[in-house]
């Protein structure tokens, strides 16, 4: 049996020992270059999230929280000024990426944690409180991933192809990963899994990040273009699919990286199990169904331009929704830190 330590994978962010700098692995530069950003200001933190230097639902939340702890060193020493700067920072961070709900969970924990301190609390104490909340949020996300991997690994086949979409690994979380954490543990347990990583147009999180992470950890991976999965399924080369989630509504509908819905439909047609792995922080019990999930529309340039080359004729428009919604009826199992649920069981657990 693999130890938790063996499953960890790369760390995408780290708060410096003095707490004044957030070190962020710049995921835009991968796989070509391992470049680290040093974040000390709120605007730099917000831009890093918006530009996908850090991405993946749990990682965005952890980086925002730890980043705020670092940025808080530049806030005024006078308590009211410190609180005002914190409120402005939380507001700026809440306007970076709308779909992943984990970010809003972390921001709420920070807002409530600061509000709970008496009015005369010094900036130094408020700063420590923010750091404590951020570290605890990150630790819980890591523990959730480890638990998810243990619950989910038995679902995967003992041998054969497993399809995944986008990047849900250590890069997208506090370490280990959600769907990729499940794959990582299944492989470490001795399952002879061949991962197929959808390239995940237009930003190529699968081709650049999932392939980089798995290759680095010695797990067999082949990248496929997003339109190849159906063919491989029709040939029996894919035995299961597992993806992450950015937000899960009360009825079990799942928002995840654009293209996930297509994978789920293909799986149902081919009678291949389709699993979603996500921590409980990904569930948004305030939303009845997926139609209410805010879907981020990103800059059309991500579609028009590939590398330094324009791929579409000038004057032609493009759409760029970054996420889609997979209806609960297409999900065969939700892997969470609390166990594996069917849609009906998940609904009951959320309601209860
Ligand atoms: O736009 P991204 O790269 O942040 O999208 C990431 C995804 O869609 C992941 O599948 C999701 O956040 C779950 S990751 C653990």
């Amino acid at each position: 049996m693999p130890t938790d330590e063996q499953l960890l994978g790369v760390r995408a962010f780290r708060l410096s020992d003095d707490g004044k700098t957030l070190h962020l692995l710049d995921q835009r530069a991968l796989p070509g270059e391992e470049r680290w950003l040093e974040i000390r200001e709120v605007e730099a933190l917000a831009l890093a999230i918006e530009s996908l230097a850090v991405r993946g639902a749990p990682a965005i939340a952890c980086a925002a929280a730890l980043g705020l702890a670092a940025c808080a060193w530049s806030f005024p020493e006078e308590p009211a000024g410190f609180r005002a700067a914190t409120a402005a920072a939380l507001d700026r961070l809440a306007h970076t990426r709308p779909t992943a709900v984990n970010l809003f969970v972390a921001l709420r924990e920070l807002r409530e944690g600061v509000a709970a301190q008496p009015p005369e609390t010094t900036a130094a104490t408020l700063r420590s409180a923010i750091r404590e909340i951020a570290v605890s949020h990150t630790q819980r996300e890591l523990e959730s991933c480890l638990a998810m991997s243990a619950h989910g690994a038995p679902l995967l086949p003992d041998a054969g192809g497993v399809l995944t979409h986008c990047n849900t690994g250590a890069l997208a979380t506090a370490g280990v990963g959600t769907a990729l954490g499940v794959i990582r543990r299944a492989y470490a347990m001795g399952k002879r899994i061949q991962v197929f990583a959808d390239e995940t147009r237009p930003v190529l999180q699968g081709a650049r990040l999932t392939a980089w992470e798995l290759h680095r950890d010695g797990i067999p991976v082949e990248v496929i273009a997003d339109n190849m999965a159906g063919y491989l399924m029709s040939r029996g080369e894919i035995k299961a699919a597992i993806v992450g989630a950015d937000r899960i509504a009360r009825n079990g509908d799942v928002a995840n990286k654009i293209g996930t819905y297509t994978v789920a439909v293909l799986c149902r047609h081919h009678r291949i199990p389709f699993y979603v792995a996500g921590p409980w922080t990904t569930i948004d019990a305030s939303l009845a169904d997926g139609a209410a999930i805010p879907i981020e529309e990103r800059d059309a340039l991500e579609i028009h331009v590939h590398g330094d080359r324009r791929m579409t004729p000038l004057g032609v428009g493009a759409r760029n929704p970054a996420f889609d919604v997979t209806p609960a009826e297409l999900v065969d199992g939700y892997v969470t830190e609390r166990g594996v649920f069917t849609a009906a069981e998940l609904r009951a657990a959320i309601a209860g």
Side-chain angles (χ1 to χ4, degrees):
M1 277 299 144
T3 64
D4 287 353
E5 200 57 37
Q6 285 166 329
L7 290 177
L8 281 185
V10 68
R11 291 299 181 102
F13 46 82
R14 186 179 69 78
L15 192 60
S16 61
D17 291 341
D18 64 9
K20 295 183 176 177
T21 306
L22 176 69
H23 296 273
L24 265 189
L25 178 57
D26 187 346
Q27 299 188 31
R28 297 166 302 185
L30 291 173
E33 196 190 333
E34 283 181 46
R35 178 168 77 203
W36 286 80
L37 303 176
E38 295 188 354
I39 304 284
R40 294 183 198 92
E41 279 164 12
V42 173
E43 191 52 28
L45 176 60
L47 290 174
I49 295 172
E50 283 168 350
S51 66
L52 311 185
V54 57
R55 30 66 49 204
I60 293 169
C62 298
L66 293 169
L68 182 72
C71 298
W73 284 93
S74 64
F75 294 175
E77 287 303 319
E78 184 263 315
F82 186 97
R83 283 176 192 268
T86 304
L90 291 173
D91 185 59
R92 176 67 184 95
L93 294 169
H95 287 89
T96 50
R97 302 199 66 198
T99 303
V101 75
N102 316 51
L103 170 67
F104 300 96
V105 171
L107 298 182
R108 190 182 60 232
E109 287 172 5
L110 291 161
R111 192 173 49 248
E112 290 176 357
V114 170
Q117 302 287 330
E120 65 280 7
T121 309
T122 62
T125 304
L126 292 172
R127 225 174 254 128
S128 304
I130 290 173
R131 180 175 174 164
E132 221 169 274
I133 294 164
V135 169
S136 140
H137 182 94
T138 304
Q139 184 59 27
R140 274 180 280 130
E141 288 292 8
L142 178 59
E143 284 161 13
S144 296
C145 282
L146 285 165
M148 259 183 281
S149 70
H151 291 305
L155 298 173
L156 297 187
D158 289 336
V162 172
L163 179 71
T164 191
H165 193 70
C166 194
N167 171 266
T168 63
L171 287 170
T173 62
V176 184
T178 56
L180 224 52
V182 171
I183 289 174
R184 207 177 241 129
R185 191 180 290 266
Y187 185 77
M189 283 164 56
K191 296 196 173 200
R192 286 173 290 114
I193 285 170
Q194 163 67 43
V195 180
F196 290 108
D198 271 345
E199 64 175 355
T200 317
R201 281 280 289 148
V203 185
L204 303 178
Q205 289 94 331
R208 295 187 303 106
L209 307 178
T210 298
W212 180 78
E213 254 195 80
L214 292 181
H215 184 62
R216 190 176 172 277
D217 293 348
I219 300 174
V221 57
E222 285 178 309
V223 176
I224 58 171
D226 294 341
N227 50 8
M228 295 174 184
Y231 172 66
L232 294 185
M233 287 181 190
S234 74
R235 290 170 47 89
E237 293 192 44
I238 294 175
K239 308 289 182 215
I242 185 160
V243 302
D246 285 84
R247 200 185 288 234
I248 301 175
R250 210 161 60 223
N251 72 340
D253 289 353
V254 178
N256 191 50
K257 179 54 54 194
I258 191 76
T260 300
Y261 173 47
T262 317
V263 171
V265 171
L266 280 171
C267 281
R268 184 53 56 93
H269 180 77
H270 292 283
R271 297 187 172 80
I272 292 167
F274 175 83
Y275 302 115
V276 172
W280 214 258
T281 43
T282 307
I283 297 171
D284 185 349
S286 75
L287 302 182
D289 58 42
I293 298 177
I295 299 294
E296 177 182 11
E297 237 352 279
R298 291 185 62 82
D299 196 324
L301 276 180
E302 289 180 350
I303 306 291
H304 290 306
V305 177
H306 217 41
D308 54 6
R309 191 162 161 221
R310 173 121 193 160
M311 306 304 287
T312 55
L314 280 173
V316 170
R319 287 288 308 277
N320 191 11
F323 300 93
D324 57 26
V325 177
T326 299
E329 73 203 55
L330 295 179
V331 180
D332 292 297
Y334 298 82
V335 182
T336 78
E337 67 272 35
R338 301 184 190 183
V340 179
F341 297 80
T342 62
E345 289 165 348
L346 189 79
R347 281 194 277 268
I350 294 170

